[in-house]
Amino acid sequence: MNKGKFIVLEGVEGAGKSRQCSLLVDALNANGRDAILTREPGGAPLAEALRRLLLDPAYSPDAVSELYMYSAARRDHLNKVVFPALAEGKIVVCDRFIYSTLAYQGYGRGLDTEFIRRVNERTVTPLTVDLAMFIDVSPEVGFARKGGADKSDRLERESLQFFRRVYDGFKAMCASGELVSIDASGSKEQTAQKIYKAVTEIL
Ligand code: TMP
């Protein structure tokens, strides 16, 4: 269905994912492409409102509620931003997508991943993902880099064991070929170059 390209970057907290997303969009635009940056949960007004609810420590949704809230935000974001941009032939770079739902609600919270896959499938149809990458930084390194967890963020209040399971989930998706693993042990610039190279190979 895509006239444009849909590209996803995934990673655990502190992996430098958001920074890498904006470096990628800047590099694509500097090279004459028409690229936009967006994120999940969020990217559109209702989805951003759902993001605020999802990350607010005042609430404690269970894993199923989280799945549906992230999915509602995703559908709104796709309808309002992603589908129109792809129809115009743009490159859409998305900070997190369905792989985060599998990693956090599936591997992290223990929700059945086949159930999540069915919900994801229904949520994103008719979108196809052109390239999904995982910035490989462990949660230990990620949280050390960002100077510890942000306790005003509900998800970041989770234990290190939770983020270990999330990380293992992302690694399993790399092993199955769903995600392309990006080695992030070098400098920020070196990681950006690896990401840019992987993207230009599919353009
Ligand atoms: P961010 O802070 O990286 O923007 O992500 C917000 C949080 O939401 C982060 O802790 C990961 C989490 N998340 C899920 O649990 N499930 C999802 O489907 C998505 C997209 C994010």
Side-chain angles (χ1 to χ4, degrees), residues 83-146:
F83 292 153
L86 290 176
E88 287 170 17
K90 292 189 169 91
I91 301 173
V92 178
V93 175
C94 193
D95 184 339
R96 295 196 185 280
F97 199 52
I98 48 175
Y99 316 94
S100 278
T101 320
L102 286 160
Y104 286 79
Q105 280 65 53
Y107 289 83
R109 300 257 188 254
L111 208 57
D112 175 26
T113 51
E114 283 313 310
F115 170 52
I116 297 176
R117 284 183 187 281
R118 285 201 300 279
V119 174
N120 280 347
E121 174 73 25
R122 179 64 189 85
T123 304
V124 309
T125 298
L127 177 87
T128 45
V129 178
D130 293 291
L131 177 64
M133 292 165 279
F134 172 63
I135 303 179
D136 192 346
V137 173
S138 72
E140 290 84 353
V141 171
F143 279 116
R145 272 193 197 169
K146 72 194 287 295

Short mmCIF file of all heavy atoms in Angstrom, two decimals, residues 83-146:
data_model
loop_
_atom_site.label_atom_id
_atom_site.label_comp_id
_atom_site.label_asym_id
_atom_site.label_seq_id
_atom_site.Cartn_x
_atom_site.Cartn_y
_atom_site.Cartn_z
N PHE A 83 -0.59 7.35 7.22
CA PHE A 83 -1.20 6.98 5.93
C PHE A 83 -1.18 8.15 4.94
O PHE A 83 -0.77 7.97 3.78
CB PHE A 83 -2.63 6.45 6.11
CG PHE A 83 -2.73 5.10 6.82
CD1 PHE A 83 -3.88 4.76 7.54
CD2 PHE A 83 -1.69 4.18 6.77
CE1 PHE A 83 -3.98 3.53 8.19
CE2 PHE A 83 -1.78 2.95 7.42
CZ PHE A 83 -2.93 2.63 8.12
N PRO A 84 -1.59 9.38 5.37
CA PRO A 84 -1.53 10.49 4.41
C PRO A 84 -0.11 10.78 3.91
O PRO A 84 0.08 11.02 2.71
CB PRO A 84 -2.08 11.69 5.21
CG PRO A 84 -2.90 11.08 6.31
CD PRO A 84 -2.23 9.78 6.64
N ALA A 85 0.88 10.72 4.80
CA ALA A 85 2.26 11.01 4.38
C ALA A 85 2.76 9.95 3.40
O ALA A 85 3.41 10.27 2.40
CB ALA A 85 3.18 11.07 5.60
N LEU A 86 2.45 8.68 3.66
CA LEU A 86 2.89 7.62 2.75
C LEU A 86 2.20 7.75 1.39
O LEU A 86 2.81 7.51 0.35
CB LEU A 86 2.61 6.24 3.36
CG LEU A 86 3.48 5.86 4.57
CD1 LEU A 86 3.03 4.52 5.13
CD2 LEU A 86 4.96 5.82 4.21
N ALA A 87 0.94 8.15 1.42
CA ALA A 87 0.21 8.33 0.15
C ALA A 87 0.82 9.45 -0.69
O ALA A 87 0.75 9.43 -1.91
CB ALA A 87 -1.26 8.62 0.44
N GLU A 88 1.46 10.42 0.00
CA GLU A 88 2.15 11.51 -0.72
C GLU A 88 3.56 11.12 -1.12
O GLU A 88 4.31 11.94 -1.64
CB GLU A 88 2.22 12.75 0.18
CG GLU A 88 0.88 13.46 0.35
CD GLU A 88 0.95 14.55 1.43
OE1 GLU A 88 2.06 14.98 1.82
OE2 GLU A 88 -0.12 14.94 1.90
N GLY A 89 3.97 9.90 -0.80
CA GLY A 89 5.30 9.41 -1.20
C GLY A 89 6.41 9.77 -0.24
O GLY A 89 7.60 9.64 -0.57
N LYS A 90 6.07 10.21 0.96
CA LYS A 90 7.11 10.62 1.93
C LYS A 90 7.77 9.40 2.60
O LYS A 90 7.17 8.32 2.65
CB LYS A 90 6.49 11.49 3.01
CG LYS A 90 6.03 12.83 2.50
CD LYS A 90 5.64 13.70 3.67
CE LYS A 90 5.43 15.07 3.29
NZ LYS A 90 4.51 15.84 2.91
N ILE A 91 8.95 9.65 3.13
CA ILE A 91 9.60 8.65 3.99
C ILE A 91 9.20 9.01 5.42
O ILE A 91 9.44 10.13 5.88
CB ILE A 91 11.14 8.69 3.86
CG1 ILE A 91 11.56 8.42 2.41
CG2 ILE A 91 11.78 7.70 4.81
CD1 ILE A 91 13.05 8.61 2.16
N VAL A 92 8.56 8.07 6.10
CA VAL A 92 8.11 8.31 7.48
C VAL A 92 9.06 7.55 8.41
O VAL A 92 9.17 6.32 8.32
CB VAL A 92 6.66 7.84 7.68
CG1 VAL A 92 6.23 8.05 9.13
CG2 VAL A 92 5.72 8.58 6.72
N VAL A 93 9.74 8.30 9.28
CA VAL A 93 10.62 7.67 10.27
C VAL A 93 9.89 7.69 11.61
O VAL A 93 9.56 8.76 12.13
CB VAL A 93 11.98 8.43 10.37
CG1 VAL A 93 12.83 7.85 11.48
CG2 VAL A 93 12.71 8.38 9.02
N CYS A 94 9.62 6.51 12.14
CA CYS A 94 8.80 6.40 13.34
C CYS A 94 9.62 5.89 14.53
O CYS A 94 10.24 4.83 14.46
CB CYS A 94 7.62 5.47 13.05
SG CYS A 94 6.36 5.54 14.31
N ASP A 95 9.61 6.69 15.59
CA ASP A 95 10.30 6.38 16.84
C ASP A 95 9.39 5.44 17.63
O ASP A 95 8.40 5.88 18.20
CB ASP A 95 10.50 7.72 17.58
CG ASP A 95 11.29 7.61 18.87
OD1 ASP A 95 11.37 6.52 19.43
OD2 ASP A 95 11.80 8.66 19.32
N ARG A 96 9.66 4.14 17.58
CA ARG A 96 8.89 3.03 18.17
C ARG A 96 7.67 2.67 17.32
O ARG A 96 7.05 3.52 16.70
CB ARG A 96 8.39 3.32 19.59
CG ARG A 96 9.47 3.48 20.63
CD ARG A 96 8.85 3.38 22.03
NE ARG A 96 9.82 3.64 23.07
CZ ARG A 96 10.70 2.75 23.52
NH1 ARG A 96 10.72 1.54 23.02
NH2 ARG A 96 11.56 3.07 24.47
N PHE A 97 7.33 1.37 17.36
CA PHE A 97 6.12 0.89 16.66
C PHE A 97 5.69 -0.43 17.28
O PHE A 97 5.92 -0.66 18.48
CB PHE A 97 6.42 0.78 15.14
CG PHE A 97 5.19 0.74 14.27
CD1 PHE A 97 4.19 1.68 14.40
CD2 PHE A 97 5.01 -0.28 13.34
CE1 PHE A 97 3.05 1.64 13.60
CE2 PHE A 97 3.87 -0.34 12.54
CZ PHE A 97 2.89 0.62 12.68
N ILE A 98 5.08 -1.33 16.49
CA ILE A 98 4.49 -2.57 17.03
C ILE A 98 5.48 -3.47 17.77
O ILE A 98 5.07 -4.24 18.62
CB ILE A 98 3.83 -3.41 15.91
CG1 ILE A 98 4.77 -3.55 14.71
CG2 ILE A 98 2.50 -2.78 15.48
CD1 ILE A 98 4.26 -4.46 13.61
N TYR A 99 6.77 -3.34 17.46
CA TYR A 99 7.78 -4.18 18.11
C TYR A 99 7.89 -3.80 19.58
O TYR A 99 8.18 -4.64 20.43
CB TYR A 99 9.13 -4.04 17.38
CG TYR A 99 8.92 -4.08 15.88
CD1 TYR A 99 8.76 -2.90 15.13
CD2 TYR A 99 8.76 -5.31 15.22
CE1 TYR A 99 8.49 -2.94 13.77
CE2 TYR A 99 8.48 -5.35 13.86
CZ TYR A 99 8.34 -4.16 13.15
OH TYR A 99 8.05 -4.21 11.81
N SER A 100 7.65 -2.50 19.89
CA SER A 100 7.65 -2.08 21.30
C SER A 100 6.50 -2.74 22.04
O SER A 100 6.64 -3.09 23.21
CB SER A 100 7.52 -0.55 21.43
OG SER A 100 8.77 0.08 21.26
N THR A 101 5.35 -2.89 21.38
CA THR A 101 4.21 -3.54 22.05
C THR A 101 4.56 -4.99 22.37
O THR A 101 4.26 -5.50 23.45
CB THR A 101 2.94 -3.47 21.17
OG1 THR A 101 2.89 -2.19 20.55
CG2 THR A 101 1.69 -3.68 22.00
N LEU A 102 5.19 -5.67 21.41
CA LEU A 102 5.59 -7.06 21.65
C LEU A 102 6.63 -7.13 22.77
O LEU A 102 6.55 -7.98 23.66
CB LEU A 102 6.16 -7.68 20.37
CG LEU A 102 5.08 -8.00 19.31
CD1 LEU A 102 5.71 -8.13 17.92
CD2 LEU A 102 4.33 -9.28 19.68
N ALA A 103 7.59 -6.19 22.75
CA ALA A 103 8.67 -6.23 23.75
C ALA A 103 8.17 -5.84 25.14
O ALA A 103 8.47 -6.55 26.12
CB ALA A 103 9.81 -5.30 23.31
N TYR A 104 7.39 -4.75 25.25
CA TYR A 104 7.00 -4.25 26.58
C TYR A 104 5.78 -4.98 27.13
O TYR A 104 5.81 -5.46 28.27
CB TYR A 104 6.73 -2.73 26.54
CG TYR A 104 7.98 -1.90 26.44
CD1 TYR A 104 8.64 -1.74 25.22
CD2 TYR A 104 8.53 -1.27 27.55
CE1 TYR A 104 9.80 -0.99 25.12
CE2 TYR A 104 9.69 -0.50 27.46
CZ TYR A 104 10.32 -0.37 26.24
OH TYR A 104 11.48 0.37 26.15
N GLN A 105 4.69 -5.04 26.33
CA GLN A 105 3.49 -5.70 26.86
C GLN A 105 3.62 -7.23 26.77
O GLN A 105 3.09 -7.95 27.61
CB GLN A 105 2.23 -5.24 26.08
CG GLN A 105 1.69 -3.88 26.51
CD GLN A 105 2.63 -2.72 26.21
OE1 GLN A 105 3.09 -2.56 25.09
NE2 GLN A 105 2.95 -1.95 27.24
N GLY A 106 4.36 -7.73 25.78
CA GLY A 106 4.55 -9.17 25.63
C GLY A 106 5.67 -9.69 26.54
O GLY A 106 5.41 -10.26 27.60
N TYR A 107 6.90 -9.46 26.16
CA TYR A 107 8.03 -9.99 26.93
C TYR A 107 8.12 -9.33 28.32
O TYR A 107 8.41 -10.00 29.30
CB TYR A 107 9.34 -9.78 26.17
CG TYR A 107 9.47 -10.67 24.96
CD1 TYR A 107 8.89 -10.32 23.74
CD2 TYR A 107 10.16 -11.88 25.03
CE1 TYR A 107 9.00 -11.14 22.63
CE2 TYR A 107 10.27 -12.71 23.92
CZ TYR A 107 9.70 -12.34 22.73
OH TYR A 107 9.80 -13.15 21.63
N GLY A 108 7.85 -8.03 28.39
CA GLY A 108 7.97 -7.33 29.68
C GLY A 108 6.86 -7.69 30.65
O GLY A 108 7.11 -8.11 31.77
N ARG A 109 5.60 -7.55 30.19
CA ARG A 109 4.46 -7.78 31.08
C ARG A 109 3.95 -9.22 31.06
O ARG A 109 3.10 -9.58 31.87
CB ARG A 109 3.28 -6.89 30.68
CG ARG A 109 3.56 -5.40 30.72
CD ARG A 109 2.94 -4.77 31.95
NE ARG A 109 3.05 -3.33 31.90
CZ ARG A 109 3.89 -2.63 32.65
NH1 ARG A 109 4.71 -3.23 33.50
NH2 ARG A 109 3.93 -1.31 32.56
N GLY A 110 4.37 -9.98 30.06
CA GLY A 110 3.98 -11.39 30.02
C GLY A 110 2.69 -11.67 29.27
O GLY A 110 2.14 -12.77 29.37
N LEU A 111 2.20 -10.70 28.51
CA LEU A 111 0.97 -10.92 27.72
C LEU A 111 1.30 -11.83 26.52
O LEU A 111 2.38 -11.72 25.95
CB LEU A 111 0.49 -9.55 27.22
CG LEU A 111 -0.99 -9.35 26.97
CD1 LEU A 111 -1.82 -9.64 28.22
CD2 LEU A 111 -1.24 -7.89 26.54
N ASP A 112 0.35 -12.69 26.18
CA ASP A 112 0.54 -13.64 25.07
C ASP A 112 0.91 -12.90 23.77
O ASP A 112 0.14 -12.06 23.29
CB ASP A 112 -0.78 -14.43 24.91
CG ASP A 112 -0.75 -15.37 23.72
OD1 ASP A 112 0.34 -15.79 23.32
OD2 ASP A 112 -1.85 -15.66 23.18
N THR A 113 2.06 -13.24 23.22
CA THR A 113 2.52 -12.49 22.05
C THR A 113 1.68 -12.78 20.79
O THR A 113 1.59 -11.93 19.91
CB THR A 113 4.02 -12.74 21.75
OG1 THR A 113 4.24 -14.14 21.70
CG2 THR A 113 4.92 -12.10 22.77
N GLU A 114 1.07 -13.97 20.73
CA GLU A 114 0.20 -14.24 19.57
C GLU A 114 -1.03 -13.35 19.60
O GLU A 114 -1.49 -12.85 18.56
CB GLU A 114 -0.21 -15.72 19.53
CG GLU A 114 0.90 -16.64 19.03
CD GLU A 114 1.58 -16.11 17.76
OE1 GLU A 114 0.88 -15.75 16.80
OE2 GLU A 114 2.83 -16.03 17.74
N PHE A 115 -1.56 -13.12 20.78
CA PHE A 115 -2.70 -12.20 20.95
C PHE A 115 -2.28 -10.78 20.53
O PHE A 115 -2.98 -10.10 19.77
CB PHE A 115 -3.16 -12.25 22.42
CG PHE A 115 -4.16 -11.20 22.81
CD1 PHE A 115 -5.33 -10.99 22.08
CD2 PHE A 115 -3.93 -10.41 23.94
CE1 PHE A 115 -6.25 -10.03 22.47
CE2 PHE A 115 -4.85 -9.45 24.33
CZ PHE A 115 -6.01 -9.25 23.59
N ILE A 116 -1.11 -10.35 20.98
CA ILE A 116 -0.61 -9.01 20.61
C ILE A 116 -0.44 -8.91 19.10
O ILE A 116 -0.83 -7.92 18.48
CB ILE A 116 0.73 -8.69 21.32
CG1 ILE A 116 0.53 -8.66 22.83
CG2 ILE A 116 1.31 -7.37 20.82
CD1 ILE A 116 1.81 -8.45 23.61
N ARG A 117 0.09 -9.96 18.49
CA ARG A 117 0.29 -9.94 17.03
C ARG A 117 -1.04 -9.79 16.30
O ARG A 117 -1.11 -9.08 15.30
CB ARG A 117 1.02 -11.20 16.56
CG ARG A 117 2.51 -11.17 16.87
CD ARG A 117 3.23 -12.39 16.32
NE ARG A 117 4.61 -12.39 16.79
CZ ARG A 117 5.59 -11.65 16.26
NH1 ARG A 117 5.35 -10.89 15.22
NH2 ARG A 117 6.81 -11.68 16.77
N ARG A 118 -2.08 -10.44 16.80
CA ARG A 118 -3.39 -10.32 16.13
C ARG A 118 -3.93 -8.89 16.24
O ARG A 118 -4.43 -8.32 15.28
CB ARG A 118 -4.40 -11.32 16.72
CG ARG A 118 -4.17 -12.75 16.25
CD ARG A 118 -5.42 -13.60 16.40
NE ARG A 118 -5.88 -13.68 17.79
CZ ARG A 118 -5.39 -14.50 18.71
NH1 ARG A 118 -4.40 -15.33 18.41
NH2 ARG A 118 -5.88 -14.50 19.94
N VAL A 119 -3.78 -8.30 17.45
CA VAL A 119 -4.24 -6.92 17.65
C VAL A 119 -3.40 -5.97 16.78
O VAL A 119 -3.93 -5.08 16.10
CB VAL A 119 -4.18 -6.52 19.15
CG1 VAL A 119 -4.50 -5.04 19.33
CG2 VAL A 119 -5.12 -7.39 19.97
N ASN A 120 -2.10 -6.18 16.77
CA ASN A 120 -1.21 -5.33 15.96
C ASN A 120 -1.60 -5.39 14.48
O ASN A 120 -1.68 -4.36 13.80
CB ASN A 120 0.26 -5.78 16.08
CG ASN A 120 0.93 -5.30 17.35
OD1 ASN A 120 0.41 -4.44 18.06
ND2 ASN A 120 2.09 -5.85 17.66
N GLU A 121 -1.83 -6.61 14.01
CA GLU A 121 -2.17 -6.82 12.60
C GLU A 121 -3.42 -6.00 12.22
O GLU A 121 -3.44 -5.27 11.23
CB GLU A 121 -2.41 -8.33 12.40
CG GLU A 121 -2.92 -8.75 11.03
CD GLU A 121 -1.85 -8.67 9.96
OE1 GLU A 121 -0.66 -8.75 10.31
OE2 GLU A 121 -2.22 -8.49 8.79
N ARG A 122 -4.44 -6.13 13.07
CA ARG A 122 -5.69 -5.42 12.80
C ARG A 122 -5.49 -3.91 12.91
O ARG A 122 -6.10 -3.13 12.17
CB ARG A 122 -6.78 -5.90 13.79
CG ARG A 122 -8.13 -5.22 13.62
CD ARG A 122 -8.73 -5.53 12.24
NE ARG A 122 -9.92 -4.72 11.97
CZ ARG A 122 -9.89 -3.49 11.46
NH1 ARG A 122 -8.73 -2.90 11.19
NH2 ARG A 122 -11.01 -2.84 11.22
N THR A 123 -4.63 -3.49 13.82
CA THR A 123 -4.41 -2.06 14.05
C THR A 123 -3.70 -1.39 12.89
O THR A 123 -4.02 -0.26 12.53
CB THR A 123 -3.56 -1.86 15.34
OG1 THR A 123 -4.22 -2.52 16.42
CG2 THR A 123 -3.38 -0.39 15.68
N VAL A 124 -2.73 -2.08 12.28
CA VAL A 124 -1.89 -1.39 11.29
C VAL A 124 -2.36 -1.60 9.84
O VAL A 124 -1.93 -0.86 8.95
CB VAL A 124 -0.39 -1.77 11.40
CG1 VAL A 124 0.09 -1.61 12.82
CG2 VAL A 124 -0.10 -3.15 10.88
N THR A 125 -3.22 -2.60 9.59
CA THR A 125 -3.67 -2.87 8.22
C THR A 125 -4.22 -1.60 7.58
O THR A 125 -4.99 -0.89 8.24
CB THR A 125 -4.77 -3.96 8.24
OG1 THR A 125 -4.17 -5.15 8.77
CG2 THR A 125 -5.32 -4.25 6.87
N PRO A 126 -3.82 -1.23 6.37
CA PRO A 126 -3.05 -1.97 5.37
C PRO A 126 -1.56 -1.59 5.30
O PRO A 126 -0.95 -1.78 4.25
CB PRO A 126 -3.76 -1.56 4.08
CG PRO A 126 -4.10 -0.12 4.31
CD PRO A 126 -4.39 0.00 5.78
N LEU A 127 -1.00 -1.12 6.37
CA LEU A 127 0.41 -0.68 6.32
C LEU A 127 1.39 -1.86 6.23
O LEU A 127 1.17 -2.89 6.86
CB LEU A 127 0.73 0.10 7.61
CG LEU A 127 2.18 0.57 7.75
CD1 LEU A 127 2.37 1.92 7.09
CD2 LEU A 127 2.58 0.66 9.20
N THR A 128 2.47 -1.68 5.47
CA THR A 128 3.59 -2.62 5.57
C THR A 128 4.81 -1.83 6.02
O THR A 128 5.01 -0.68 5.61
CB THR A 128 3.90 -3.31 4.22
OG1 THR A 128 3.88 -2.32 3.19
CG2 THR A 128 2.92 -4.39 3.89
N VAL A 129 5.61 -2.45 6.87
CA VAL A 129 6.83 -1.80 7.37
C VAL A 129 7.95 -2.10 6.38
O VAL A 129 8.17 -3.26 6.04
CB VAL A 129 7.18 -2.33 8.78
CG1 VAL A 129 8.48 -1.70 9.27
CG2 VAL A 129 6.05 -2.07 9.76
N ASP A 130 8.63 -1.06 5.91
CA ASP A 130 9.70 -1.28 4.94
C ASP A 130 11.01 -1.66 5.61
O ASP A 130 11.78 -2.45 5.06
CB ASP A 130 9.88 -0.02 4.09
CG ASP A 130 8.65 0.23 3.22
OD1 ASP A 130 8.44 -0.57 2.29
OD2 ASP A 130 7.89 1.17 3.49
N LEU A 131 11.28 -1.09 6.77
CA LEU A 131 12.51 -1.42 7.50
C LEU A 131 12.31 -1.10 8.98
O LEU A 131 11.87 0.00 9.32
CB LEU A 131 13.69 -0.60 6.95
CG LEU A 131 15.04 -0.79 7.65
CD1 LEU A 131 15.57 -2.22 7.48
CD2 LEU A 131 16.08 0.20 7.10
N ALA A 132 12.62 -2.06 9.84
CA ALA A 132 12.54 -1.83 11.30
C ALA A 132 13.88 -2.21 11.91
O ALA A 132 14.37 -3.32 11.71
CB ALA A 132 11.41 -2.66 11.89
N MET A 133 14.48 -1.26 12.62
CA MET A 133 15.81 -1.48 13.19
C MET A 133 15.77 -1.40 14.72
O MET A 133 14.94 -0.68 15.29
CB MET A 133 16.77 -0.40 12.69
CG MET A 133 17.07 -0.52 11.21
SD MET A 133 17.85 0.99 10.56
CE MET A 133 16.42 2.02 10.34
N PHE A 134 16.68 -2.12 15.35
CA PHE A 134 16.80 -2.11 16.81
C PHE A 134 18.19 -1.59 17.18
O PHE A 134 19.20 -2.18 16.78
CB PHE A 134 16.61 -3.52 17.37
CG PHE A 134 16.90 -3.64 18.83
CD1 PHE A 134 16.14 -2.95 19.78
CD2 PHE A 134 17.95 -4.44 19.29
CE1 PHE A 134 16.41 -3.05 21.13
CE2 PHE A 134 18.23 -4.55 20.65
CZ PHE A 134 17.46 -3.85 21.57
N ILE A 135 18.23 -0.48 17.90
CA ILE A 135 19.51 0.06 18.35
C ILE A 135 19.92 -0.74 19.58
O ILE A 135 19.28 -0.64 20.64
CB ILE A 135 19.41 1.56 18.66
CG1 ILE A 135 18.91 2.28 17.41
CG2 ILE A 135 20.76 2.11 19.12
CD1 ILE A 135 18.74 3.77 17.59
N ASP A 136 20.95 -1.54 19.41
CA ASP A 136 21.30 -2.52 20.44
C ASP A 136 22.12 -1.90 21.57
O ASP A 136 23.35 -1.83 21.52
CB ASP A 136 22.05 -3.70 19.81
CG ASP A 136 22.16 -4.86 20.79
OD1 ASP A 136 21.92 -4.66 22.01
OD2 ASP A 136 22.49 -5.97 20.34
N VAL A 137 21.41 -1.43 22.60
CA VAL A 137 22.03 -0.92 23.83
C VAL A 137 21.29 -1.61 24.97
O VAL A 137 20.06 -1.62 25.00
CB VAL A 137 21.87 0.62 23.93
CG1 VAL A 137 22.34 1.13 25.28
CG2 VAL A 137 22.61 1.32 22.80
N SER A 138 22.03 -2.21 25.91
CA SER A 138 21.39 -2.91 27.02
C SER A 138 20.72 -1.91 27.96
O SER A 138 21.11 -0.74 28.01
CB SER A 138 22.43 -3.73 27.79
OG SER A 138 23.25 -2.84 28.52
N PRO A 139 19.73 -2.36 28.75
CA PRO A 139 19.10 -1.42 29.69
C PRO A 139 20.09 -0.87 30.73
O PRO A 139 19.98 0.29 31.12
CB PRO A 139 17.99 -2.24 30.35
CG PRO A 139 18.16 -3.65 29.93
CD PRO A 139 19.06 -3.67 28.73
N GLU A 140 21.05 -1.69 31.12
CA GLU A 140 22.05 -1.20 32.12
C GLU A 140 22.80 0.00 31.55
O GLU A 140 22.94 1.04 32.20
CB GLU A 140 23.05 -2.32 32.46
CG GLU A 140 22.49 -3.47 33.28
CD GLU A 140 21.80 -4.55 32.42
OE1 GLU A 140 21.62 -4.35 31.20
OE2 GLU A 140 21.42 -5.59 33.00
N VAL A 141 23.28 -0.15 30.31
CA VAL A 141 24.03 0.94 29.66
C VAL A 141 23.10 2.11 29.37
O VAL A 141 23.44 3.27 29.58
CB VAL A 141 24.72 0.42 28.36
CG1 VAL A 141 25.31 1.56 27.55
CG2 VAL A 141 25.79 -0.61 28.70
N GLY A 142 21.89 1.81 28.90
CA GLY A 142 20.92 2.87 28.56
C GLY A 142 20.60 3.75 29.76
O GLY A 142 20.66 4.98 29.66
N PHE A 143 20.27 3.13 30.88
CA PHE A 143 19.91 3.93 32.06
C PHE A 143 21.14 4.67 32.61
O PHE A 143 21.02 5.80 33.10
CB PHE A 143 19.25 3.07 33.14
CG PHE A 143 17.79 2.81 32.87
CD1 PHE A 143 17.32 1.53 32.64
CD2 PHE A 143 16.88 3.87 32.84
CE1 PHE A 143 15.97 1.30 32.37
CE2 PHE A 143 15.53 3.66 32.57
CZ PHE A 143 15.07 2.37 32.33
N ALA A 144 22.32 4.06 32.52
CA ALA A 144 23.53 4.76 32.97
C ALA A 144 23.75 6.00 32.10
O ALA A 144 24.05 7.09 32.62
CB ALA A 144 24.74 3.82 32.89
N ARG A 145 23.54 5.85 30.79
CA ARG A 145 23.72 6.98 29.86
C ARG A 145 22.77 8.12 30.16
O ARG A 145 23.14 9.28 30.03
CB ARG A 145 23.43 6.51 28.43
CG ARG A 145 24.61 5.95 27.71
CD ARG A 145 24.22 5.86 26.25
NE ARG A 145 25.10 4.98 25.51
CZ ARG A 145 24.84 4.57 24.28
NH1 ARG A 145 23.74 4.94 23.66
NH2 ARG A 145 25.69 3.79 23.66
N LYS A 146 21.53 7.78 30.49
CA LYS A 146 20.56 8.87 30.71
C LYS A 146 20.53 9.32 32.17
O LYS A 146 19.66 10.10 32.57
CB LYS A 146 19.17 8.50 30.17
CG LYS A 146 18.37 7.47 30.94
CD LYS A 146 17.20 6.96 30.12
CE LYS A 146 16.07 7.93 29.95
NZ LYS A 146 15.34 8.31 31.15
#
